[in-house]
Amino acid sequence: MFDHLRRFAEIADRAGDEGALLRRQALYLCSYDTRPDTQEWIGHMQNNRARTGRVGWTPQWADERSVATSLTRYGDMEPLHDFIQYGLAEDSGESANLNYWAYWLGLDRIPRVDDRFMADPATGQWDALALLRSLADRLAPGLGCVDLNVHSVWALIASRHGVLAADPELNRDLSERVAGLLDTDGISSRSRRELESVHYGLRLSRQ
């Protein structure tokens, strides 16, 4: 099965933008392959579409996100940290990230024909509170993508004022999860700063 997935990922890679979705999905599924050469192969596929100084949204944004999250399964955190730093550096990237989450979590039910909807400001009509509930479940120590999850929660709260005060039960759950992560060593320094900001916002929302 994984041999077939690799083959289709490579075919899609040669197809360019027309094969972007197939390439991304095949690459992500290949990250579950436990063979010793998988990480090297994914890294090679990443280099085919490497981000070269691009900031914010680009047509390759979703592909870069998928590869970076896949490599965390092998303990390679650098691509994810680079993606957070550059791919989410501007409003276009931040909006794309939240729109991506909302779409793949089923909160954006409008059929989409390509990735361009992620960078469209008009896309963000989904329920912010429902998205925050879903993201809260991903604030758990030991998750490979926890830094991306932390940043996503931080960005959602920053962009949707009042969402923290809308659900007291969620507020308490988030407070516990944030405190738990702050007591661990498995997060980046950037995530720690963002969690401290979220923690402060949670306290203010309860006053």
Side-chain angles (χ1 to χ4, degrees):
M1 181 187 75
F2 287 120
D3 286 338
H4 284 297
L5 284 171
R6 288 192 189 192
R7 176 172 174 267
F8 285 118
E10 291 165 355
I11 291 172
D13 185 58
R14 292 193 292 271
D17 291 344
E18 291 183 359
L21 182 58
L22 174 59
R23 179 186 189 276
R24 183 164 71 247
Q25 294 302 310
L27 265 175
Y28 181 77
L29 291 173
C30 282
S31 69
Y32 289 93
D33 186 356
T34 58
R35 289 179 293 183
D37 67 330
T38 300
Q39 181 180 359
E40 181 181 358
W41 178 81
I42 293 176
H44 171 73
M45 295 295 288
Q46 178 197 27
N47 291 335
N48 287 355
R49 300 285 186 90
R51 176 176 287 267
T52 55
R54 298 185 298 249
V55 175
W57 165 265
T58 72
Q60 293 78 37
W61 182 94
D63 189 75
E64 292 164 353
R65 184 188 192 278
S66 183
V67 171
T69 56
S70 296
L71 287 171
T72 63
R73 298 185 191 280
Y74 306 94
D76 187 357
M77 305 303 297
E78 185 176 354
L80 184 68
H81 293 160
D82 285 347
F83 177 77
I84 294 171
Q85 181 176 356
Y86 298 107
L88 307 182
E90 295 183 344
D91 288 345
S92 61
E94 295 284 23
S95 296
N97 185 49
L98 296 178
N99 289 335
Y100 182 103
W101 276 118
Y103 184 74
W104 290 107
L105 290 173
L107 302 176
D108 176 7
R109 300 181 182 278
I110 300 175
R112 307 294 184 179
V113 298
D114 57 41
D115 291 340
R116 286 176 294 181
F117 79 92
M118 298 177 192
D120 185 351
T123 299
Q125 302 303 312
W126 31 262
D127 185 339
L129 186 58
L131 180 56
L132 184 58
R133 289 194 187 102
S134 295
L135 292 176
D137 293 337
R138 290 167 167 79
L139 296 183
L143 291 180
C145 295
V146 68
D147 289 321
L148 177 60
N149 300 343
V150 167
H151 183 82
S152 300
V153 167
W154 173 84
L156 175 58
I157 291 171
S159 65
R160 299 297 177 97
H161 301 293
V163 69
L164 286 179
D167 186 338
E169 183 176 348
L170 176 59
N171 189 303
R172 289 190 293 272
D173 179 51
L174 265 175
S175 296
E176 293 177 2
R177 293 177 183 274
V178 167
L181 277 176
L182 286 172
D183 285 339
T184 68
D185 297 325
I187 56 175
S188 68
S189 57
R190 176 176 187 149
S191 289
R192 189 168 296 278
R193 292 193 301 271
E194 291 173 348
L195 283 172
E196 289 170 349
S197 176
V198 170
H199 187 260
Y200 180 72
L202 286 163
R203 291 182 61 186
L204 286 181
S205 69
R206 293 196 294 269
Q207 295 178 359

